[in-house]
Amino acid sequence: MYFNTDHVSLSDIFDTKLIPEKMFNVIITAINIRRHNEGYYSNEAIANCIAEHYGIDDINAYKSRSHPHKNKICRIVRALSDLNDGTMPKDRYIVKANVLITAEFNDVLKAFHENHIKYGYSVNTADNYQRMALRFLMFCEDSNIRTFSDITQKMINEYILMLDGFKKSTVKNHLGGLRICLRYLYTEKYIPTNLGDDIVPLKVKSQMRIPSVWQHNEVLKLLSVIDRGNPSGKRDYAMILMVARLGIRVGDLCRLQFQDIDWRNNKIEFTQGKTQYRMALPLLKDVGWALIDYIQNGRPKVDTPYIFVTHVAPFKPFDGDNHHSRMIKKYMMLAHLPVSAFQKYGMHSLRHTLATTMLENHEKFSNISAVLGHRSEDSATAYIKTSTALLRNCSLPIPEVCDE
């Protein structure tokens, strides 16, 4: 719904549910609408109130790590400003401006991303390659390079030396991304020779890290504290339960559509974003009821084929800017579970936990890989390291030392 009037009343906002009343109440005191314009919102009044109460002069540029509640206020104010201007609220995240000065670099970076999407790469993969290319082009600009023809092998070597100190896996990924970027520049004739041919691949042993996992009682505790009486809680419960019970990658979960649910045959079928393999998983009873509860009683009435959407206007499917680890951390704190800086407790750790549980139940590697959507059965062997019980089976006897 669009608002074409110069002012928008609070009743209009709440009736259309474009702005949740709970969120709006956070800034009622700060805006002090009745004091400034007798129950109506205006851009000028809101700007004066935000500046007066919080010292925020520019809501579009403000961002603070030490005062996150102010970030929320700015987000709501931007949405109200859009309504007052007669448009639907924009994304709650500020669109990042181009960080590169050179217009040609920005254009090529965009084309580089679109090229990967065109040839079937997942959005996440295309984003990663673009991020690595951006880092290199920023180094070019810092070295006063403004045209691709000025890029030399010496400068590339200097950039590689800057990666010293990072983990081997990080260096490997950056070298791979740089190699792909230089190959693209050569193919599109921005540079005369393929400078990426001289970049030596870095060999890193796979599966060196120990995956983060949960104890069984910790997962139950996490699910038990989720408030399933409110719409966001219904969504969060369904999402976390699906990852914990089915091992779906969070990217695939965010892209899950209504057409992927076969209610008649109790199946979930979708194409994985990472491998492009077709997956078929059982629609377990508890997962099915959680989905039904969210779709019927919690999901905003928004026209999109994706099941899970944001609950802050504008309502839309999740994307790369949505941070699900914060969702997990919030419920961990409610459940009084320890949060450690040395262990990861994101959505992916629930997937690791499922694989470890299956191994402890003596499931075959082929079955585990089939459930988790791995390309190779060997990928499941990484989870042997996460179980103390399984590691005991690998222990070697220590010979007794006899005193002579």
Side-chain angles (χ1 to χ4, degrees):
M1 180 178 179
Y2 292 84
F3 295 91
N4 296 318
T5 56
D6 292 334
H7 297 85
V8 179
S9 69
L10 295 183
S11 60
D12 287 336
I13 295 171
F14 295 146
D15 288 344
T16 57
K17 296 184 180 179
L18 287 172
I19 303 295
E21 185 172 1
K22 183 178 179 181
M23 289 190 65
F24 192 82
N25 285 336
V26 175
I27 60 168
I28 283 290
T29 304
I31 300 175
N32 199 358
I33 293 179
R34 291 182 179 176
R35 171 184 168 188
H36 286 273
N37 52 353
E38 299 180 356
Y40 283 86
Y41 164 82
S42 70
N43 289 341
E44 183 178 357
I46 190 69
N48 291 337
C49 290
I50 293 300
E52 175 185 342
H53 289 277
Y54 287 100
I56 302 174
D57 296 325
D58 187 355
I59 60 171
N60 292 314
Y62 184 85
K63 190 171 183 179
S64 172
R65 291 187 177 182
S66 57
H67 300 91
H69 65 285
K70 292 188 179 182
N71 299 334
K72 293 181 181 179
I73 290 172
C74 292
R75 186 193 311 162
I76 299 171
V77 168
R78 286 194 295 271
L80 289 173
S81 179
D82 292 335
L83 288 173
N84 199 41
D85 293 338
T87 61
M88 292 295 289
K90 301 183 184 70
D91 195 344
R92 58 178 174 157
Y93 294 100
I94 302 174
V95 178
K96 296 180 181 178
N98 292 329
V99 295
L100 295 172
I101 302 172
T102 310
E104 184 184 19
F105 285 1
N106 282 313
D107 293 340
V108 171
L109 193 65
K110 181 180 178 181
F112 179 64
H113 184 273
E114 293 173 349
N115 181 71
H116 284 88
I117 298 296
K118 176 183 175 182
Y119 285 100
Y121 288 82
S122 69
V123 175
N124 287 339
T125 300
D127 288 346
N128 286 333
Y129 286 150
Q130 185 186 42
R131 195 157 39 243
M132 294 170 191
L134 172 62
R135 184 185 179 97
F136 172 66
L137 293 177
M138 289 175 64
F139 175 79
C140 291
E141 288 191 338
D142 291 341
S143 303
N144 295 320
I145 301 296
R146 296 293 184 269
T147 60
F148 290 108
S149 58
D150 292 337
I151 297 176
T152 63
Q153 191 66 56
K154 179 182 177 183
M155 197 195 73
I156 293 174
N157 293 337
E158 292 174 352
Y159 171 75
I160 294 174
L161 288 174
M162 285 185 57
L163 300 176
D164 182 38
F166 288 96
K167 292 191 300 183
K168 282 188 176 181
S169 58
T170 302
V171 176
K172 176 187 175 182
N173 291 335
H174 276 283
L175 293 182
L178 177 61
R179 196 180 301 110
I180 291 171
C181 174
L182 294 172
R183 186 188 306 149
Y184 173 80
L185 294 178
Y186 170 69
T187 303
E188 298 298 321
K189 300 181 179 180
Y190 289 103
I191 55 178
T193 58
N194 188 358
L195 299 174
D197 286 343
D198 295 329
I199 300 177
V200 179
L202 181 63
K203 294 184 179 180
V204 178
K205 291 183 179 180
S206 61
Q207 300 182 358
M208 292 296 291
R209 288 188 305 171
I210 299 177
S212 297
V213 296
W214 299 64
Q215 297 298 321
H216 180 67
N217 65 316
E218 291 178 336
V219 178
L220 295 178
K221 254 185 161 181
L222 185 78
L223 291 168
S224 67
V225 299
I226 300 177
D227 181 8
R228 297 166 65 186
N230 68 66
S232 296
K234 295 179 188 295
R235 179 202 63 193
D236 297 348
Y237 180 81
M239 294 184 74
I240 293 173
L241 186 67
M242 290 186 74
V243 178
R245 296 280 278 129
L246 300 176
I248 299 177
R249 292 184 179 91
V250 66
D252 294 330
L253 187 65
C254 294
R255 290 187 293 270
L256 199 66
Q257 301 186 26
F258 288 102
Q259 65 182 16
D260 298 329
I261 310 296
D262 185 352
W263 297 100
R264 187 179 297 276
N265 298 309
N266 291 325
K267 288 195 304 182
I268 302 176
E269 296 185 86
F270 60 94
T271 301
Q272 293 185 113
K274 183 175 182 178
T275 63
Q276 298 302 308
Y277 290 170
R278 190 70 181 168
M279 284 285 295
L281 297 171
L283 181 60
L284 304 177
K285 185 178 291 187
D286 54 349
V287 172
W289 283 115
L291 276 173
I292 291 172
D293 186 30
Y294 170 61
I295 293 170
Q296 291 185 344
N297 306 314
R299 187 177 182 274
K301 306 302 180 184
V302 55
D303 185 18
T304 176
Y306 297 96
I307 295 176
F308 297 107
V309 297
T310 61
H311 282 221
V312 177
F315 308 123
K316 63 170 190 172
F318 286 106
D319 54 32
D321 289 328
N322 297 103
H323 310 291
H324 300 284
S325 58
R326 295 180 183 175
M327 176 199 301
I328 296 288
K329 187 174 181 180
K330 176 180 72 172
Y331 294 121
M332 285 183 68
M333 295 177 68
L334 288 175
H336 302 291
L337 294 174
V339 180
S340 172
F342 302 100
Q343 192 163 2
K344 295 182 179 179
Y345 284 103
M347 282 284 200
H348 214 66
S349 62
L350 294 172
R351 175 178 159 90
H352 296 326
T353 303
L354 175 65
T356 303
T357 303
M358 293 180 71
L359 269 178
E360 290 178 339
N361 292 335
H362 307 292
E363 288 285 351
K364 295 180 180 179
F365 287 160
S366 57
N367 293 339
I368 298 173
S369 295
V371 170
L372 299 184
H374 291 151
R375 289 192 181 97
S376 171
E377 293 181 12
D378 293 338
S379 300
T381 60
Y383 302 108
I384 295 177
K385 301 190 292 285
T386 62
S387 171
T388 304
L390 294 174
L391 288 173
R392 286 196 183 101
N393 296 329
C394 303
S395 61
L396 297 175
I398 301 176
E400 294 183 6
V401 178
C402 299
D403 296 331
E404 294 184 358

